[in-house]
Amino acid sequence: MDFAELVRGFPELTTTGLVQGAIYALIALGYTLVYGVLRLINFAHSEVFMIGTFGAIWTWAAFGLNSNSGAPSVGRALLLIALAIVAAALLSGSVALLIEVTAYRPLRRRNAPPLAFLITAIGASYALMELMGTLTQRRQVGAPALLPAKTLFSIGGWSVTPVQMLTLSVAIVMMVGLDWFVNRTRFGKGIRAVAQDANTAALMGVNKSRVIALVFVLGGLMAGVAAVFSDMKSGNTRYNIGFLLGLKAFSAAVLGGIGNLRGAAIGGVLLGLVENYGSALFGSQWRDLIAFVVLIVLLMFRPTGLLGESLGRARA
Amino acid sequence: MTALRERWHSASSAIGRRVDGLPKSARITGLLAFIAFLYVLPNKWFYEYLNIPGLWIPLYTTRNDMAAVLFYCAWIVLLSLGLNVVVGYAGLLDLGFFGFFAVGAYTVALLTSPESKLITEYNWLESPWPWLVTIPIAIALALLSGVLIGAPTLRLRGDYLAIVTLGFAEMIRIIAKNQDWILNGDRGIPQVAHPPGKYPDGTAIFQFEFKPYYWLLLTVIIGAVFLIRNLANSRVGRAWVAIREDEDAAELMGVPTFRFKLWAFAIGAAVGGLSGTLWAGQANFVNSSTFSLENSILVLAAVLLGGAGSIGGAILGGFLVIYIPEWLRSVGDVFGLPETATVFGNDFDVSPTSLRYFIFGILLIVVMIFRPQGLWPNRRRAAELKDRQKEVAVVE
C-alpha cells in the first residue's frame, strides 16, 4: 500500500486514467449496443477494435509515415488523425457488419440456441485474429508519433498532453453523438424498439434485420475511433491486442450495466481511473487484477451493474 | 441446400435408429472394440496403416508425434466432460473453467516438487509427497474452490455468471503469475513428480514419453464417463435438466435449485482439478501460462461444438478442437503447399501451420450454422431445438 505514491501522482494518474477509460468506454459501447438489442455477448468485437488499430496505421503508412518518421506540422498531423479516424471507423464498421452477416444472421434465421452464437463469435474471433497475425507476420507494428509528447497546458500540477486532450474531446463528442442518435433520431427509435421487444417492433413495421445491422455498424464505428487513440497512446499495435482490451471493455460494459449506453461510458471511465489508482497503490503488476476485483465486488451488490441494464426499457 | 440437409438428417437419424435397434450384446462389443482401438491408436506401427485408400491425406498427424497429439486431445476431452456437467446439464455458463484446473495442477506441484517453497522455505513438509497421494487432496481442493466461488456467484444468472466466473479465473491466473510467496510467480514450480509405476526391467513408465500418459488419461476418462453418465441418469441429473429448462418452474416444483447448481459447479470443478493433476504429472513443470482465458474458451467451444448436454458430444468436441488444428499442419506436407507467399515484396507465412487457427475459426462458424445444436447433441435437447426452429421469428 503506497499512499504517498497515490497522492503524489494523483493528477497524472487521473488524466491518464481518464484517457484509458475513454478508450475502454468507446469499445464498451459496441458490446453494450449489441447486447442491448440481441442479448448476445459479441466476443468478436475485440477483433473489430484490433482491425481498427491496423486501419489507422495503414492510413498513416499510405501517407509515408511510420514509427521512425519525425512529427509533421500540427495542421497536417490533425488532418492525418482525422483521416485515420474516418478510415479506421469505416474499416471497423465494415468488419462488424461482416461478422453480423456471416456469423450471426444465419443462426438467427434458424432460431438457434443462444450458446450457438457464442461459438460462432469465438470462431469469428479466431479467424480474424489469425488472419491479421498472418498478414502482419505476427510482429508488433509501430505507429508514427504525430503529435509532440510535450505538455499542452497545465493548471496547478494538472498537465495535459495534446494526445490526451484530443482523445478526451473526440471521445466525448462521439459518446454524446451516439446518445443523441439513439435517443433522438428515427433510427434510434427503431433500435430502442427492437431492444424492447423485437417481434412486436417487427410487427409494427420496424425492419429488424436493418436495425441489427445498424447496431453492429455503430459499435464498429466507436471501436474504430477507439483504435486510433489506442495507437496514438501506446505507439504500437499487435494482432492480439484486442484480447485484453476487449476483455477490459467488456468488463466496463458490465460494470455500468450491460445494454445501457450511458452505463458503458461511465463504466469505462471508472475502470480506467480505478485501475490507475489501484496500480499506484498496490504496484502495476496488479493492474489487471484490480479491474476484476472491482467488477466482482460490484456485481455482488448490484447484480445488474451501476445503472442497470436498459437500452429500450428505462426511458421507453 | 435444404434438400441436402433434409437428406442428411434422415440419413443420420436412420443410422441412429439402426444402432438403437442392435441387440445389447452387439452394442457392447462395438463399444469395447472402439475402446481397444483407442488404446492401440498411439502406436506408430498401428496408425500408419490407417491410411484409408482413396483418401490423399492420412488421417494421422505427420508434423507432431501422434501420441503427443492424442495426449492433448484426451486432456481437453476430460476437461470438456467436466465443463459439460456445468454448461450442458445445469445450463450454467462458466467462462473460467481453467481456474479449477490451476488449483489441481498447483496443488500437485506444491506437494510433490522438491523445489516447492513449502519445503525449501517454510518447512511445512519434510520431503516431497508421492504423486498418487496428492490426487485426492487436489481434487478435494478443486471441489472446495468450486463451492467457494459458486456459493456467492450462482445467484447471478446467465451472462453475469459468465463474466464473474471469467473474472475469478483471471484473478487466479494473475495472482499465480505475480505473487512470489508460494507459487514462484512466472518462474513456476519445476520438478513436479511423475505418476508412479515401473516396467519389469526397473525403468519408470511415466517419464517424458507421451504414450503412457495418454493411456492413463484414457482410463481416467472411461471412469469419468461412467460416473457422469450415472449421475446424469439419477435424481441429480433430472434436477439439473429441470434447472436448465426453466429455473423458476423447477424451484416451484420443489427442486432446491441453488443446491443442485452448486453441485454441478463443484463436480465440474473437481473434474477440472483432476485434469490439472494429470497434466502437472506429465509436464513436470507448472506455471500460470497454461491457465489462460483462451484455453477456457477453447474448452467451452469443445463442449458446444460437440453438443451441450451430451457425453458423446463433449468427447467428440474435445477431440476435434485439438485434433483439427494439429491435423491441418500435415495437410501442407501432403499437397506440397508453399510455406510463404511474397506479396508486394513482403514474405507472408501462409503455411497451414500458421493458418490452422484461421481455418479452425471458419470451420467453427460453418459447423454451427449447419448444426446449431452441436455435432452429437443430447436427444432431448435436439428435440427441443427442432421445436424452436418451427417457431421462427415473426419477421426476419
Side-chain angles (χ1 to χ4, degrees):
Chain A
M1 299 287 269
D2 192 355
F3 281 106
E5 173 71 27
L6 178 65
V7 174
R8 195 166 44 77
F10 190 76
E12 203 205 329
L13 289 170
T14 308
T15 35
T16 52
L18 280 174
V19 170
Q20 186 65 57
I23 293 173
Y24 288 154
L26 284 174
I27 310 173
L29 287 170
Y31 282 105
T32 235
L33 273 169
V34 170
Y35 189 89
V37 171
L38 290 178
R39 312 266 126 195
L40 161 74
I41 303 174
N42 180 11
F43 268 105
H45 190 62
S46 51
E47 310 321 319
V48 170
F49 164 78
M50 178 273 292
I51 287 190
T53 61
F54 283 104
I57 284 182
W58 289 336
T59 313
W60 292 324
F63 287 90
L65 285 161
N66 58 35
S67 49
N68 297 323
S69 46
S73 69
V74 175
R76 198 169 134 79
L78 286 178
L79 190 68
L80 280 168
I81 292 169
L83 269 176
I85 288 178
V86 173
L90 285 179
L91 187 63
S92 289
S94 356
V95 171
L97 187 63
L98 182 77
I99 293 173
E100 139 70 2
V101 172
T102 54
Y104 297 142
R105 187 170 294 181
L107 285 179
R108 260 204 323 279
R109 257 204 203 129
R110 278 154 225 259
N111 212 1
L115 286 178
F117 289 86
L118 200 63
I119 297 302
T120 51
I122 294 169
S125 185
Y126 269 131
L128 287 170
M129 194 161 85
E130 291 298 312
L131 184 68
M132 291 307 289
T134 307
L135 278 180
T136 59
Q137 293 137 308
R138 291 174 204 277
R139 284 194 206 133
Q140 185 162 298
V141 181
L146 290 170
L147 294 170
K150 59 175 203 266
T151 307
L152 185 65
F153 62 84
S154 73
I155 307 164
W158 297 65
S159 55
V160 180
T161 66
V163 171
Q164 291 171 339
M165 189 65 213
L166 195 66
T167 308
L168 289 176
S169 27
V170 174
I172 289 172
V173 169
M174 293 304 289
M175 285 185 232
V176 171
L178 185 69
D179 198 62
W180 170 82
F181 185 85
V182 171
N183 286 324
R184 292 277 177 273
T185 64
R186 237 174 82 89
F187 293 111
K189 200 180 257 178
I191 293 176
R192 281 179 291 138
V194 175
Q196 201 172 4
D197 186 337
N199 287 341
T200 310
L203 288 173
M204 297 295 166
V206 179
N207 188 334
K208 200 170 117 192
S209 275
R210 202 182 292 163
V211 164
I212 291 169
L214 176 68
V215 161
F216 274 89
V217 172
L218 280 177
L221 294 179
M222 295 291 155
V225 176
V228 177
F229 292 114
S230 161
D231 279 348
M232 297 206 317
K233 182 175 172 291
S234 61
N236 56 55
T237 183
R238 271 181 80 90
Y239 73 103
N240 58 4
I241 189 180
F243 187 77
L244 188 65
L245 267 166
L247 195 60
K248 295 278 188 62
F250 175 59
S251 308
V254 177
L255 202 63
I258 192 159
N260 186 322
L261 288 182
R262 292 173 190 181
I266 291 174
V269 172
L270 199 70
L271 194 67
L273 286 175
V274 167
E275 258 186 22
N276 256 12
Y277 297 148
S279 56
L281 265 183
F282 303 106
S284 57
Q285 76 269 32
W286 300 110
R287 168 183 279 267
D288 297 337
L289 187 73
I290 292 155
F292 292 113
V293 171
V294 170
L295 179 72
I296 288 172
V297 169
L298 188 105
L299 282 185
M300 294 289 122
F301 294 102
R302 278 192 71 88
T304 52
L306 279 176
L307 298 191
E309 44 177 73
S310 70
L311 192 62
R313 221 138 292 173
R315 293 181 307 278
Chain B
M1 196 78 134
T2 28
L4 201 69
R5 257 184 45 224
E6 289 301 316
R7 275 177 64 186
W8 161 253
H9 277 301
S10 67
S12 60
S13 65
I15 293 171
R17 276 199 304 278
R18 180 99 26 114
V19 172
D20 287 341
L22 285 174
K24 200 170 185 186
S25 60
R27 268 189 289 162
I28 289 178
T29 320
L31 188 66
L32 287 179
F34 182 63
I35 290 173
F37 168 78
L38 289 179
Y39 273 104
V40 196
L41 196 56
N43 293 305
K44 203 171 167 104
W45 55 262
F46 182 73
Y47 66 74
E48 287 202 333
Y49 285 100
L50 283 180
N51 224 336
I52 298 169
L55 207 66
W56 297 317
I57 316 161
L59 285 176
Y60 57 87
T61 56
T62 54
R63 277 293 173 97
N64 256 336
D65 179 23
M66 181 82 166
V69 175
L70 285 173
F71 169 77
Y72 288 117
C73 288
W75 173 52
I76 295 289
V77 164
L78 186 58
L79 283 162
S80 318
L81 281 171
L83 189 62
N84 183 42
V85 172
V86 185
V87 177
Y89 290 139
L92 307 164
L93 188 52
D94 182 355
L95 280 180
F97 199 56
F98 260 73
F100 306 122
F101 174 90
V103 172
Y106 267 118
T107 309
V108 170
L110 279 176
L111 292 177
T112 68
S113 163
E115 300 277 313
S116 148
K117 282 201 174 168
L118 293 187
I119 296 168
T120 56
E121 270 195 47
Y122 301 107
N123 295 320
W124 290 355
L125 300 178
E126 284 287 306
S127 56
W129 292 10
W131 182 81
L132 211 55
V133 180
T134 61
I135 302 294
I137 303 172
I139 294 178
L141 279 180
L143 193 104
L144 185 70
S145 62
V147 172
L148 283 181
I149 292 179
T153 57
L154 284 174
R155 306 200 186 267
L156 297 170
R157 285 198 183 179
D159 299 325
Y160 286 97
L161 182 66
I163 180 81
V164 168
T165 50
L166 184 156
F168 267 118
E170 278 293 282
M171 279 163 64
I172 291 179
R173 186 184 68 79
I174 295 166
I175 291 172
K177 187 172 186 289
N178 286 329
Q179 67 83 33
D180 220 27
W181 319 303
I182 302 178
L183 303 183
N184 277 351
D186 245 358
R187 279 168 290 130
I189 302 172
Q191 294 188 35
V192 182
H194 290 301
K198 278 192 169 62
Y199 288 117
D201 63 0
T203 51
I205 300 174
F206 294 100
Q207 283 290 323
F208 289 98
E209 211 195 344
F210 280 99
K211 226 187 283 181
Y213 292 100
Y214 166 71
W215 285 325
L216 178 65
L217 256 175
L218 193 58
T219 315
V220 171
I221 287 172
I222 291 171
V225 167
F226 186 72
L227 288 178
I228 292 173
R229 214 180 116 90
N230 280 347
L231 206 58
N233 289 333
S234 70
R235 201 171 77 92
V236 184
R238 287 192 295 276
W240 285 338
V241 173
I243 292 168
R244 181 187 75 203
E245 296 308 324
D246 190 332
E247 198 175 327
D248 297 317
E251 182 80 54
L252 284 172
M253 292 295 168
V255 178
T257 53
F258 180 71
R259 202 197 317 154
F260 280 114
K261 283 202 293 188
L262 199 57
W263 262 117
F265 213 67
I267 288 169
V271 177
L274 173 66
S275 165
T277 63
L278 292 164
W279 182 83
Q282 193 280 324
N284 194 239
F285 169 75
V286 173
N287 80 352
S288 65
S289 61
T290 330
F291 318 136
S292 61
L293 180 59
E294 285 100 326
N295 276 336
S296 292
I297 289 177
L298 192 71
V299 177
L300 185 67
V303 172
L304 299 177
L305 180 73
S310 117
I311 289 176
I315 295 174
L316 183 66
F319 174 75
L320 288 179
V321 295
I322 296 293
Y323 199 78
I324 289 179
E326 276 304 325
W327 174 76
L328 281 171
R329 293 162 77 117
S330 28
V331 173
D333 296 340
V334 176
F335 289 111
L337 295 178
E339 290 283 306
T340 54
T342 310
V343 183
F344 299 124
N346 288 321
D347 286 330
F348 294 108
D349 184 3
V350 292
S351 61
T353 306
S354 163
L355 285 176
R356 66 192 195 278
Y357 274 101
F358 170 71
I359 302 170
F360 177 65
I362 303 275
L363 267 178
L364 276 185
I365 299 179
V366 173
V367 169
M368 274 296 131
I369 288 175
F370 287 102
R371 274 188 89 79
Q373 72 275 42
L375 290 170
W376 185 349
N378 174 303
R379 264 178 219 177
R380 187 199 302 254
R381 274 181 76 104
E384 282 160 15
L385 289 172
K386 223 170 180 179
D387 273 355
R388 258 181 85 101
Q389 281 189 340
K390 278 184 208 143
E391 43 183 84
V392 182
V394 190
V395 185
E396 178 55 60

